């Protein structure tokens, strides 16, 4: 990445041998230094996390602030500004002990870690990971010669240092957060495939999708040239715009590949046409040149795809990238296209891991390897067919068939005569769709010129809060509403404010404090409060803050309970004490957000799911009531037939079995409990005892849509969730299916799943729950 390293524009993010993406500060195009750097970080983290607790405290001590009495202001041995010589962290860490005096404040190093003695092992390992990322960036700052890149490394270095001192989550505080341009590169390529190739037969269209995924993977691991290099190559280019994108790319895509304590995004999902234009021409040239050089190493089935089809694909895409009138870059493109979108997903699969024994040409491989991280999205058409079926799962073909018979709840006629069973926010959602109400996040600013409309809305919010919260001093309300650190989600109707939620975000602490929440009295009981809170939840999910805290008085507790708040606070007390404002006579309540839930459409989704289940039940009932014709085989001389061959007899037997289970739930509970205890005691059950931790398997929950484990099954059994054997068997089967879907066949986990599955079915047969 450094100027001195000589990385040219378009250098693939892997070396000539197809190894690994280049690490920050590694230099060179071969990627060998990157491989070593990345591997060393991973090894160091693993070694440090397996160290005894005192060793971990010693490591954290040199980066933590002093807690000795007397208001010591020491922030550890290492100041926020790196000294002029590179660090020697390995030597330092081996000679440190907690009794040694700090080199900055003379207190013992033990005084620097008193606040860490009682934290969980998981939290300590998280902080240690940040420490090693700090040390890596520390080295990068010294080795990097490009001024722009060096500045970014230094900013990230300071951010991670601050996260260690505050024990918070590293959050990049920028004016804009990802995505930076819409539609994204991935969406644009998706649109391109739909625009140019939707008429092709299925097989040819699949080939195009392979090429598109191949191209998107290359962009995700492409090494951008520095702004200074680009200025020399393209003097008349938009230097400021490219520098901004380069900085974002470093912060959100490149550095997080190696410093995993920083949030990482795919280049194709947060950047759009602007960045693609800046790299496309040179990238296309180098990819095709590399393909020609490595053609003899390609497997035969890939040779035609890469040498014949890929150049044509890139030429057609290039026209759309640089065309000023191409429709694929319109955000509304797919709204008017019949036939829907052809899904192309890149995920986070590293190209260097997509190896082929007969070829070193790994940059242009296309199929993700099992166990690699993927982004949450709809499965590819051919993936859904290959996805393993779990006992009890309803076939997707049946679901799609049923959905085709259900009217879309989002298309309900806009009427004021809503059902008595309508969701609380349904009326508000319809009004928003018609443009009657609007939602805006606003706030005061001391840096920008005042906007008259925003100032009028802030005054309106101050009036609403003052009228609806009479026990709050007006001066206090005014101060917070106009405080630049606070923001307010405002509800606007006919150009005037009728409600809002005032809040303050604490990104470093991982929560937001809700200060005021009110809707004017003559606009209440219309679902505005619920819809307002749902918009606030989606706003925070976008900004990666997943916890709300608020002090609710006796009149507000009911409202907050309906919005998912409870007195069970998920945020550690150390995170919010000293940050959140205390109110006498009020109750502290919290809400944990689920980033997978689209809150403003949640009630619509639930309504549609209920309709699907209702239709499925109706279909099942129709099958049960079906009248079968009499048996005619006996007239033809047949004297005996198997009982299960009689039409409808299997359905009848299943109903009788189900009826027996429902009549004697205690017997079923006892049987399932015994089986589960046997399974948990099996020597191959250890990988499945508890839910998979995100820190141990990054991306697991993007790949596995329905996770399951033995601990969850035990809790479900205890709560009498398993009313039938099929529910129990479906959950157990899902454990094995998930394991085989995420892990490669040669892995130990995969083998454990197979052995435990065989044992489980043996026990099920012994208990008489299925036929032997």
């Amino acid at each position: 990445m450094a100027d001195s390293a000589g990385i040219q524009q378009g250098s693939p993010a892997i070396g000539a041998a197809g190894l690994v993406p280049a690490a920050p500060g590694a230099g060179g195009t071969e990627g060998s230094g990157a491989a070593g750097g990345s591997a060393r970080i991973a090894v160091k983290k693993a070694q440090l996390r397996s160290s005894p607790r005192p060793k971990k405290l010693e490591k954290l001590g040199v980066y933590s602030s002093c807690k000795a009495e007397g208001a010591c202001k020491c922030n550890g041995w290492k100041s926020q500004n790196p000294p002029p010589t590179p660090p020697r962290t390995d030597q330092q860490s081996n000679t440190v002990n907690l009794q040694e005096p700090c080199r900055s404040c003379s207190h013992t190093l033990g005084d620097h870690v008193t606040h860490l003695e009682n934290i969980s092992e998981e939290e300590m390992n998280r902080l240690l990971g940040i420490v090693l990322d700090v040390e890596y960036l520390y080295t990068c700052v010294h080795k990097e010669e490009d001024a722009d890149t060096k500045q970014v490394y230094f900013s990230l270095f300071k951010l991670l240092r601050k996260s260690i001192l505050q024990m918070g989550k590293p959050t990049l505080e920028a004016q804009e957060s990802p995505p930076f341009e819409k539609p994204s590169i991935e969406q644009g390529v998706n649109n391109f495939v739909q625009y140019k190739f939707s008429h092709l037969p299925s097989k040819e269209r699949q080939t195009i999708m392979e090429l598109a995924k191949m191209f998107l993977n290359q962009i995700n691991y492409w090494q951008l040239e520095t702004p200074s290099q680009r200025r020399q190559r393209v003097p008349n280019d938009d230097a400021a715009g490219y520098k901004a994108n380069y900085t974002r790319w470093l912060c959100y895509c490149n550095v997080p590949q190696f410093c995993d304590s920083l949030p990482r995004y795919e280049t194709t999902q947060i950047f759009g046409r602007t960045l693609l234009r800046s790299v496309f021409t040179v990238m296309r040239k180098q990819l095709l040149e590399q393909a020609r050089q490595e053609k003899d190493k390609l497997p035969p089935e890939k040779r035609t795809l890469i040498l014949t089809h890929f150049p044509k694909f890139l030429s057609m895409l290039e026209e759309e990238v640089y065309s000023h009138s191409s429709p694929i870059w319109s955000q509304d493109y797919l709204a008017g296209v019949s036939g829907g979108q052809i899904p192309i997903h890149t995920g986070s699969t590293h190209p260097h891991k997509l190896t082929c024994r007969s070829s070193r040409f790994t940059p242009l491989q296309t199929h993700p390897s099992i166990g690699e991280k993927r982004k949450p999205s709809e499965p590819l058409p051919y993936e859904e067919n290959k996805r393993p079926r779990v006992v009890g799962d309803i076939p997707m073909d049946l679901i799609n068939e049923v959905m085709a018979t259900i009217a879309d709840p989002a298309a309900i006629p806009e009427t004021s005569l809503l059902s008595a069973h309508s969701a609380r926010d349904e009326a508000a959602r319809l009004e928003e769709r018609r443009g009657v109400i609007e939602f805006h996040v606003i706030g005061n600013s001391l840096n920008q010129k005042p906007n008259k409309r925003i100032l009028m809305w802030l005054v309106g919010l101050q009036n609403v809060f003052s009228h609806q919260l009479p026990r709050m001093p007006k001066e206090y309300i005014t101060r917070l509403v106009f405080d630049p650190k606070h923001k307010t989600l405002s509800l606007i109707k006919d150009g005037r404010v009728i409600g809002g939620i005032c809040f303050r975000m604490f990104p470093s602490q991982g929560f937001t404090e809700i200060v005021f929440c009110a809707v004017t009295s003559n606009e209440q009981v219309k679902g505005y409060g619920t819809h307002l809170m749902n918009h606030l939840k989606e706003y925070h999910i976008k900004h990666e803050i997943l916890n709300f805290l608020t002090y609710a008085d006796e009149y507000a507790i009911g409202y907050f309970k309906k919005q998912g708040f409870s007195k069970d606070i998920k945020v550690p007390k150390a995170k919010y004490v000293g940050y959140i404002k205390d109110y006498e006579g009020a109750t502290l309540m919290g809400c944990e957000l689920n980033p997978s839930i689209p809150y403003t459409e949640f009630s619509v989704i639930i309504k549609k799911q209920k309709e699907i289940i209702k239709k499925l039940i109706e279909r099942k009932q129709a099958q049960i009531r079906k009248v079968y014709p009499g048996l005619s085989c006996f007239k033809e001389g047949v004297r005996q037939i198997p009982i299960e061959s009689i039409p409808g007899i299997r359905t009848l037997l299943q109903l009788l079995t189900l009826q027996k289970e429902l009549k004697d739930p205690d017997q079923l509970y006892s049987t399932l409990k015994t089986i589960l205890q046997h399974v948990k005691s099996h020597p191959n059950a250890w990988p499945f005892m508890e839910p998979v931790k995100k820190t141990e398997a990054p991306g697991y929950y993007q790949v596995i849509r329905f996770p399951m484990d033995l601990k969850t099954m035990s809790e479900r059994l205890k709560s009498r969730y398993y009313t039938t054997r099929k529910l129990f068997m479906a959950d157990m089967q899902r454990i094995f299916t998930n394991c085989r879907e995420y892990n490669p066949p040669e892995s130990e986990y995969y083998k454990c799943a197979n052995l435990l599955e065989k044992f489980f079915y043996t026990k099920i047969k012994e208990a008489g729950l299925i036929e032997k």
Side-chain angles (χ1 to χ4, degrees):
M1 190 173 294
D3 284 334
S4 59
I7 294 183
Q8 299 301 314
Q9 161 68 4
S11 297
I14 57 177
L19 295 175
V20 293
T29 56
E30 290 296 316
S32 57
S38 180
R40 281 194 297 273
I41 296 172
V43 170
K44 279 186 179 180
K45 286 185 178 181
Q47 290 174 343
L48 195 54
R49 285 167 177 162
S50 62
S51 300
R53 195 173 178 90
K55 287 290 182 185
K56 295 180 180 181
L57 290 172
E58 289 169 3
K59 187 72 174 178
L60 288 169
V62 299
Y63 290 93
S64 302
S65 56
C66 184
K67 305 298 179 183
E69 296 181 2
C72 179
K73 296 182 179 180
C74 171
N75 281 335
W77 290 2
K78 297 177 182 177
S79 63
Q80 297 246 355
N81 299 315
T85 57
R88 294 183 297 173
T89 54
D90 292 337
Q91 294 178 13
Q92 289 177 350
S93 60
N94 290 332
T95 59
V96 169
N97 66 73
L98 294 175
Q99 303 305 317
E100 186 176 334
C102 172
R103 300 176 187 177
S104 298
C105 67
S106 75
H107 292 113
T108 66
L109 198 58
D111 290 329
H112 288 246
V113 294
T114 52
H115 63 299
L116 302 174
E117 290 175 354
N118 296 322
I119 66 172
S120 67
E121 201 69 19
E122 184 178 351
E123 176 65 9
M124 184 170 287
N125 287 338
R126 186 186 71 84
L127 291 173
L128 286 168
I130 300 178
V131 164
L132 290 179
D133 287 344
V134 164
E135 292 179 349
Y136 186 67
L137 284 171
Y138 198 85
T139 305
C140 291
V141 170
H142 286 285
K143 289 186 175 181
E144 186 58 59
E145 295 184 12
D146 176 70
D148 296 316
T149 311
K150 193 184 192 81
Q151 184 179 4
V152 175
Y153 289 161
F154 184 48
S155 299
L156 295 175
F157 167 85
K158 291 196 295 183
L159 171 68
L160 295 182
R161 282 285 289 116
K162 184 179 177 182
S163 298
I164 298 171
L165 292 172
Q166 298 181 348
M167 295 177 63
K169 182 180 177 183
T171 304
L172 295 164
E173 297 180 1
Q175 291 183 348
E176 280 188 85
S177 57
F180 302 112
E181 188 175 3
K182 291 185 178 180
S184 64
I185 295 173
E186 182 176 292
Q187 184 64 58
V189 174
N190 242 318
N191 294 349
F192 167 71
V193 172
Q194 174 69 29
Y195 178 51
K196 292 288 188 180
F197 307 105
S198 60
H199 63 284
L200 294 178
S202 177
K203 187 175 180 180
E204 284 82 352
R205 194 163 66 245
Q206 186 61 46
T207 300
I208 298 299
M209 290 168 65
E210 292 291 330
L211 294 171
K213 286 193 295 177
M214 187 189 303
F215 174 73
L216 292 172
N217 259 338
Q218 291 303 308
I219 297 177
N220 282 331
Y221 294 94
W222 199 258
Q223 194 72 18
L224 297 189
E225 62 186 340
T226 64
S228 58
Q229 289 173 329
R230 185 169 179 82
R231 280 195 297 272
Q232 294 174 6
R233 189 175 65 82
V234 191
N236 300 324
D237 191 34
D238 177 15
Y242 180 81
K243 182 178 178 180
N245 275 337
Y246 177 76
T247 302
R248 292 165 177 164
W249 172 77
L250 278 177
C251 292
Y252 290 99
C253 305
N254 184 254
V255 175
Q257 290 183 47
F258 305 90
C259 298
D260 58 11
S261 54
L262 291 168
R264 185 190 168 203
Y265 297 84
E266 297 293 349
T267 304
T268 55
Q269 292 177 346
I270 64 173
F271 292 100
R273 187 184 194 180
T274 305
L275 183 73
L276 183 58
R277 280 181 166 179
S278 65
V279 302
F280 189 91
T281 304
V282 179
M283 179 181 176
R284 174 178 177 271
K285 179 181 177 182
Q286 292 199 12
L287 280 179
L288 296 179
E289 179 61 31
Q290 187 179 8
R292 284 189 289 271
Q293 290 175 0
E294 304 236 356
K295 63 181 179 181
D296 296 332
K297 300 165 188 173
L298 287 170
E301 67 272 13
K302 295 292 181 188
R303 196 170 298 159
T304 303
L305 181 72
I306 292 173
L307 297 180
T308 304
H309 299 308
F310 198 44
K312 294 177 183 177
F313 176 88
L314 291 177
S315 296
M316 293 177 70
L317 180 58
E318 186 173 25
E319 291 180 14
E320 303 302 322
V321 169
Y322 292 101
S323 169
H324 295 288
S325 57
S326 174
I328 70 170
W329 301 105
S330 167
Q331 291 192 48
D332 302 322
Y333 170 72
L334 285 174
V337 176
S338 61
Q341 182 178 5
I342 300 174
I344 300 168
H345 312 293
T346 60
S348 299
T349 304
H350 289 37
H352 69 275
K353 291 191 178 178
L354 310 181
T355 55
C356 179
R357 292 178 184 175
S358 61
S359 170
R360 288 192 308 142
F361 194 84
T362 51
L364 298 180
Q365 300 298 312
T366 56
H367 297 289
S369 132
I370 296 175
E372 291 298 314
K373 179 181 174 184
R374 296 195 290 262
K375 290 292 180 184
S377 51
E378 298 176 18
L380 295 175
Y382 58 89
E383 278 187 341
E384 192 59 50
N385 296 329
K386 293 181 180 179
R387 185 179 291 277
R389 280 285 309 280
V390 175
V391 176
D393 275 359
I394 300 170
M396 281 306 299
D397 292 342
L398 179 58
I399 296 289
N400 293 331
E401 187 181 333
V402 170
M403 286 180 67
T405 67
I406 298 174
D408 187 355
I412 294 173
E414 297 174 3
T415 174
S416 58
L417 300 176
L418 295 171
S419 163
H421 301 291
S422 297
R424 282 192 298 271
D425 63 335
E426 191 160 325
R429 188 169 50 251
L430 290 174
E431 287 192 13
E432 183 184 13
R433 196 179 303 149
R434 293 201 303 264
V436 176
I437 59 174
E438 299 175 357
F439 295 88
H440 299 276
V441 175
I442 60 174
N444 195 15
S445 174
L446 301 179
N447 303 321
Q448 299 177 354
K449 187 178 179 180
N451 182 302
K452 184 178 179 181
R453 185 178 67 165
I454 289 178
L455 288 176
M456 291 296 291
W457 283 349
L458 288 172
V459 171
L461 286 163
Q462 188 267 346
N463 289 333
V464 170
F465 293 145
S466 297
H467 280 95
Q468 299 304 127
L469 307 170
R471 292 195 289 183
M472 281 286 176
K474 289 186 178 180
E475 295 80 4
Y476 178 69
I477 291 174
T478 305
R479 178 159 59 86
L480 294 191
V481 169
F482 284 88
D483 177 19
K485 295 178 182 177
H486 288 71
K487 295 179 181 179
T488 305
L489 174 61
S490 55
L491 171 57
I492 312 298
K493 185 174 184 178
D494 299 328
R496 63 185 182 87
V497 175
I498 63 167
I501 301 177
C502 182
F503 59 93
R504 181 174 178 183
M505 303 167 76
F506 294 95
S508 63
Q509 304 305 109
F511 76 92
T512 281
E513 177 191 11
I514 294 178
V515 186
F516 307 125
C517 176
V519 175
T520 189
S521 54
N522 62 336
E523 297 287 356
Q524 292 180 4
V525 201
K526 295 182 179 180
Y528 290 154
T530 297
H531 205 43
L532 195 63
M533 184 62 72
N534 287 339
H535 270 286
L536 187 69
K537 289 174 180 177
E538 290 197 348
Y539 176 83
H540 279 78
I541 287 172
K542 181 181 176 183
H543 288 80
E544 297 186 333
I545 297 178
L546 302 180
N547 284 284
F548 287 161
L549 291 177
T550 189
Y551 272 99
D553 61 24
E554 57 193 56
Y555 303 106
I557 288 176
Y559 164 78
F560 281 109
K561 279 186 176 179
K562 291 176 183 176
Q563 308 310 317
F565 285 72
S566 73
K567 298 175 185 178
D568 180 20
I569 309 300
K570 302 295 184 183
V571 182
K573 194 171 183 179
K575 293 278 188 181
Y576 64 81
V577 169
Y579 290 88
I580 189 171
K581 292 174 277 294
D582 295 318
Y583 296 93
E584 290 184 7
T587 303
L588 181 62
M589 302 185 75
C591 178
E592 187 175 25
L593 307 184
N594 186 330
S596 301
I597 296 177
Y599 284 96
T600 54
E601 298 296 325
F602 189 56
S603 59
V604 174
I605 294 170
I606 295 298
K607 185 174 182 179
K608 194 164 189 175
Q609 288 176 346
K610 286 181 177 178
E611 286 293 322
I612 292 170
I613 293 170
K614 184 180 176 182
K615 294 285 184 183
L616 288 171
I617 292 173
E618 289 174 0
R619 288 187 173 221
K620 195 69 176 176
Q621 288 174 339
Q623 290 177 3
I624 294 169
R625 298 191 186 108
K626 183 178 179 179
V627 178
Y628 293 90
L631 297 173
S632 59
C633 57
F634 297 111
K635 294 179 181 179
E636 299 167 1
V638 177
R639 298 183 60 84
Q640 186 177 356
I641 62 171
I643 189 170
E644 61 269 14
S645 67
I646 300 174
I649 199 70
R650 282 189 176 276
T651 304
L652 178 61
L653 291 173
Q654 289 172 357
L655 286 172
L656 291 173
T657 305
L658 179 60
Q659 190 176 22
K660 181 182 176 183
E661 291 172 358
L662 294 175
K663 274 187 176 180
D664 195 357
D666 292 335
Q667 176 62 38
L668 178 66
Y669 172 81
S670 177
T671 304
L672 297 183
K673 183 178 180 181
T674 302
I675 293 171
L676 187 58
Q677 285 173 345
H678 282 304
V679 170
K680 291 171 72 174
S681 302
H682 195 273
N684 290 303
W686 62 269
F688 316 111
M689 296 299 290
E690 294 188 347
V692 174
K693 294 179 181 177
K694 293 181 180 179
T695 53
E696 294 177 356
Y700 180 84
Y701 291 97
Q702 278 85 23
V703 178
I704 302 303
R705 294 185 294 175
F706 305 109
M708 184 50 60
D709 60 275
L710 295 175
K711 181 180 179 182
T712 303
M713 286 191 67
S714 298
E715 293 169 354
R716 287 186 167 189
L717 181 64
K718 189 175 180 181
S719 65
R720 302 295 180 118
Y721 167 82
Y722 297 117
T723 54
T724 69
R725 63 187 171 86
K726 278 194 172 182
L727 283 173
F728 180 79
M729 291 172 64
D731 273 356
M732 187 67 75
Q733 184 62 51
R734 197 174 296 285
I735 292 176
F736 308 136
T737 306
N738 288 346
C739 179
R740 287 191 286 260
E741 185 176 354
Y742 185 77
N743 298 288
E746 66 274 9
S747 69
E748 187 176 3
Y749 301 109
Y750 197 103
K751 295 171 184 175
C752 284
N754 287 343
L755 292 170
L756 190 62
E757 181 182 35
K758 186 177 179 181
F759 175 77
F760 167 68
Y761 279 103
T762 301
K763 289 298 176 184
I764 283 285
K765 290 175 183 177
E766 289 176 1
L769 295 182
I770 59 174
E771 295 178 5
K772 294 186 180 181

